Amino acid sequence: MSGTLDGQGGSPGTTPPVVTQRHVTSNEFRAAFRAAHLGMAVVGRDGLVRTANDALGALLGTDPARLQDSPAAEFTGLREDSRTWSAYREVLLGRRDRLHCTRRLRQPGGQGLWAEVTVTPLPETRDALLSVADVSDRRDLRARLRHLRMHDPVTRLPNRSLFFERLAAALATAAVSRGGTGRIGLCYLDLDGFKAINDTLGHRAGDRLLGAVARRLTECAAPGGHLVARLGGDEFALLVEESAGTEQLVDLAAAVQDKLSRPFEVAGQRLAVSASIGVVERPVAGTHATELMQAADTTLYWAKADGKARWTLFDPERNAHRMTRQALSSTLRPAVEREEFVLQYQPLVGLGDGVVRGVEALVRWHHPQFGTLAPNRFIGLAEETGAIVPLGRWVLATACRQARRWQLAHPAEPILVSVNVAVRQVWDSDLVADVAAILAETGLPPHLLQLELTESAVMGSAGRPLQQLQALSDMGVAIAIDDFGTGYSNLAYLSRLPVSTLKLDGSFVHGFRAEEHPNPADETIVEALVQLAHRLGLTVTAECVESAEQAERLGRIGCDTGQGWFYSRPVPADRISALLSTGVRP
């Protein structure tokens, strides 16, 4: 049984209809060729025009007969680049099926148009058909739409998308160019206090101000032909391609500062604005757009942080420090879990008898990348990020565990362990519960633990902090004020706090150095502080004792204990154990 063809059935035993293809005659082709509204020409294998229709002549502004025997590549621009020329020759030789490209064609009078040029082989001949379509209107529309898409409607400046496109192109061009400077620069600026203007005068006034700022920035950039773009909000960028060096960028930033410092007249208001500017200038080699913008953003932040209304030049060393801070900040909490921290201990020595009365626990970070870090490198970061809470809990537990070992080893003369506590530990954790749990776990008697808080953290304490300090004191834990004399120094208020020890800041002790001329004022102040502290029932520890002369004079005026390099630097726990076992004084 036969099947069906093109949806038409046949009865069994019948022959399907024969389908034939009708070929276009040469007369019909010539008629269509002449009547077509599309510009066309027949081109021989030699590239010369055999014939051209009226539409092509009209498109090019010439008599089509004049195009006969002329090279088609000349009036279609197919020789403009080697790749297109090669493809065109392949089509003429019958080795390629089609060529399609867009070209800018010249017309009489210097005018031009954009055209899509297509070349295809003609079947059963050695010729090819060339067609040329005017796409100028379509291209102009596309250009207008692109302009709208790539420009900011408020300021009419290039927007973020166009800026990054130009930046990428500038980096790529400069990287292969041999005649340029091979450098690039960027001024990244932000208006200071723009939000206040928006909030008080409204967004319409804010937009007018942005437009006025854009015009002044354009005036600054115009002499050098630099790109000015609005990146969003009140942020602008000036891109300097082929930079002549840092001085050029600094001069441009200074010119912008000067231009913007003059008052603006907006909506009947006289407004004064300023700008913070981050300036980055560097070789193109090895520079990526993302890296350049990160540097600019960082430098703008520095300008803001340094006081606003200024320009700041990118500083690699300052940036390296910032990156280090970020690296440390992000790894603080995991470092506690990985046990990267260790404690060292510095003796607290009686100034009268030279006997070790206690030790202060000092934390160190054995960082796998940066080596051993002192507390000043990471404690501030820990407080900012909140990592101080788990870190402080670990320090407290480790110090109490070690102090219990010393107590068991030397029951006759147990020593006190002093641990620093950050104010955030008081606010963000249940410090009383933590201390109680750790003392219970380690078995350390409360009176052998002292907690040190800075003067600024303790003075003025009220509410929960004061309640926690009182609860700790009631538990039997000693409370000390660290770096006393650098903050409020309010001894009257101090009498109402559960404090047992003052640790005098090292700045007072420096004046006691033997090699320097004695400062009577330092000794008078320290002696007065010691007498007042004693009358309040407090003991006094002098920090930063570095010489026998200092120790002798501090002991003479009544300080109870001393701490410093004269006695010992911070050392591991086993060194303290050896010191206590031998009974040797530091």
Side-chain angles (χ1 to χ4, degrees):
M1 177 182 284
S2 65
T4 61
L5 180 65
D6 294 335
Q8 297 185 9
S11 59
T14 61
T15 302
V18 178
V19 179
T20 60
Q21 182 176 5
R22 180 176 176 275
H23 294 278
V24 178
T25 67
S26 59
N27 289 334
E28 289 174 325
F29 175 80
R30 282 193 292 271
F33 180 81
R34 287 193 298 269
H37 294 290
L38 177 65
M40 294 188 293
V42 176
V43 182
R45 181 167 289 191
D46 56 3
L48 301 179
V49 174
R50 301 280 185 265
T51 181
N53 67 358
D54 292 340
L56 182 59
L59 191 65
L60 299 177
T62 187
D63 185 345
R66 299 184 63 181
L67 296 174
Q68 190 171 346
D69 294 329
S70 65
E74 295 297 331
F75 60 78
T76 54
L78 297 180
R79 282 186 180 272
E80 289 181 3
D81 66 84
S82 59
R83 186 175 180 181
T84 301
W85 170 248
S86 177
Y88 171 59
R89 296 297 303 166
E90 290 288 302
V91 173
L92 293 183
L93 295 173
R95 299 172 184 166
R96 184 184 177 112
D97 294 335
R98 185 172 183 265
L99 168 66
H100 182 82
C101 60
T102 303
R103 283 291 180 268
R104 179 75 171 171
L105 305 185
R106 292 184 295 275
Q107 292 179 302
Q111 296 180 342
L113 60 88
W114 285 99
E116 285 186 352
V117 179
T118 305
V119 185
T120 55
L122 286 171
E124 301 180 3
T125 72
R126 296 169 62 88
D127 298 330
L129 179 65
L130 169 76
S131 62
V132 182
D134 186 356
V135 294
S136 298
D137 290 344
R138 188 196 315 168
R139 193 176 179 93
D140 288 345
L141 175 60
R142 191 180 301 156
R144 287 196 295 272
L145 292 175
R146 171 179 165 79
H147 185 276
L148 290 173
R149 189 176 72 253
M150 306 295 273
H151 285 75
D152 171 52
V154 174
T155 62
R156 299 182 181 180
L157 291 176
N159 61 15
R160 190 178 191 87
S161 297
L162 183 53
F163 171 79
F164 277 100
E165 183 180 289
R166 286 283 301 273
L167 174 58
L171 290 173
T173 301
V176 299
S177 175
R178 296 182 179 179
T181 63
R183 303 186 69 84
I184 194 164
L186 179 65
C187 289
Y188 185 29
L189 67 96
D190 176 275
L191 300 182
D192 302 320
F194 177 74
K195 185 178 183 300
I197 294 174
N198 250 354
D199 292 344
T200 55
L201 300 181
H203 288 279
R204 180 173 295 182
D207 287 349
R208 290 180 181 175
L209 176 60
L210 290 175
V213 168
R215 288 189 289 274
R216 294 194 186 181
L217 294 178
T218 302
E219 291 174 5
C220 292
H226 310 311
L227 174 71
V228 182
R230 182 190 178 197
L231 302 188
D234 57 341
E235 296 179 357
F236 297 84
L238 288 81
L239 179 64
V240 179
E241 302 178 38
E242 300 294 347
S243 165
T246 301
E247 186 175 349
Q248 180 186 13
L249 270 295
V250 168
D251 289 345
L252 179 59
V256 168
Q257 290 279 8
D258 179 66
K259 203 81 167 178
L260 296 184
S261 66
R262 303 167 193 172
F264 292 84
E265 295 288 342
V266 175
Q269 300 279 343
R270 189 175 176 86
L271 302 178
V273 299
S274 62
S276 299
I277 306 176
V279 180
V280 182
E281 200 278 342
R282 58 182 53 180
V284 169
T287 296
H288 301 282
T290 302
E291 178 192 21
L292 185 68
M293 291 307 300
Q294 286 177 342
D297 186 66
T298 297
T299 312
L300 173 59
Y301 171 80
W302 293 342
K304 290 280 189 184
D306 291 344
K308 302 181 180 181
R310 68 191 64 221
W311 58 263
T312 300
L313 188 64
F314 181 77
D315 181 355
E317 291 187 8
R318 185 174 180 180
N319 186 60
H321 178 70
R322 180 186 68 90
M323 297 298 289
T324 301
R325 279 178 57 87
Q326 289 180 345
L328 295 178
S329 178
S330 63
T331 56
L332 262 168
R333 287 181 183 271
V336 177
E337 300 173 3
R338 292 194 296 264
E339 298 183 352
E340 293 179 1
F341 293 93
V342 297
L343 291 186
Q344 293 185 341
Y345 301 88
Q346 189 170 34
L348 304 172
V349 180
L351 288 172
D353 54 15
V355 174
V356 176
R357 303 291 175 80
V359 292
E360 179 181 353
L362 299 168
V363 64
R364 301 289 188 268
W365 185 358
H366 287 338
H367 195 281
Q369 179 181 357
F370 302 112
T372 301
L373 303 179
N376 63 338
R377 293 288 303 277
F378 60 87
I379 290 297
L381 288 174
E383 292 182 357
E384 291 175 16
T385 62
I388 192 66
V389 173
L391 176 59
R393 192 178 291 120
W394 177 87
V395 170
L396 185 63
T398 304
C400 288
R401 196 174 296 114
Q402 181 59 55
R404 175 61 172 164
R405 295 192 192 102
W406 286 326
Q407 183 204 11
L408 294 174
H410 308 278
E413 297 180 351
I415 62 171
L416 170 146
V417 64
S418 191
V419 178
N420 290 280
V421 175
V423 66
R424 191 160 181 175
Q425 289 178 259
V426 180
W427 281 105
D428 293 1
S429 67
D430 192 339
L431 183 61
V432 176
D434 286 345
V435 170
I438 289 170
L439 291 177
E441 176 190 343
T442 60
L444 182 70
H447 72 275
L448 294 182
L449 173 63
Q450 176 175 275
L451 300 181
E452 296 186 21
L453 290 89
T454 61
E455 182 179 355
S456 58
V458 174
M459 292 301 186
S461 294
R464 185 163 182 255
L466 180 57
Q467 293 170 6
Q468 293 213 49
L469 293 180
Q470 188 61 60
L472 290 167
S473 179
D474 293 343
M475 191 187 300
V477 175
I479 306 296
I481 297 181
D482 195 16
D483 300 328
F484 186 79
T486 60
Y488 297 93
S489 301
N490 188 338
L491 286 172
Y493 188 82
L494 186 62
S495 66
R496 297 193 290 272
L497 291 173
V499 174
S500 58
T501 300
L502 299 184
K503 299 189 72 176
L504 293 182
D505 184 70
S507 59
F508 290 108
V509 180
H510 288 162
F512 285 71
R513 291 176 178 170
E515 65 270 16
E516 298 177 357
H517 295 292
N519 187 339
D522 282 345
E523 187 162 341
T524 300
I525 292 172
V526 171
E527 186 174 6
L529 289 175
V530 170
Q531 290 177 1
L532 286 171
H534 285 170
R535 289 190 178 185
L536 291 172
L538 309 178
T539 60
V540 179
T541 297
E543 298 180 303
C544 301
V545 179
E546 298 178 357
S547 69
E549 174 70 15
Q550 286 175 312
E552 190 277 327
R553 291 177 63 194
L554 288 166
R556 189 173 64 245
I557 63 177
C559 284
D560 301 286
T561 55
Q563 176 183 356
W565 287 3
F566 171 63
Y567 300 107
S568 172
R569 292 173 180 262
V571 294
D574 58 351
R575 294 278 298 277
I576 299 294
S577 299
L579 183 69
L580 296 176
S581 297
T582 59
V584 178
R585 297 178 181 181

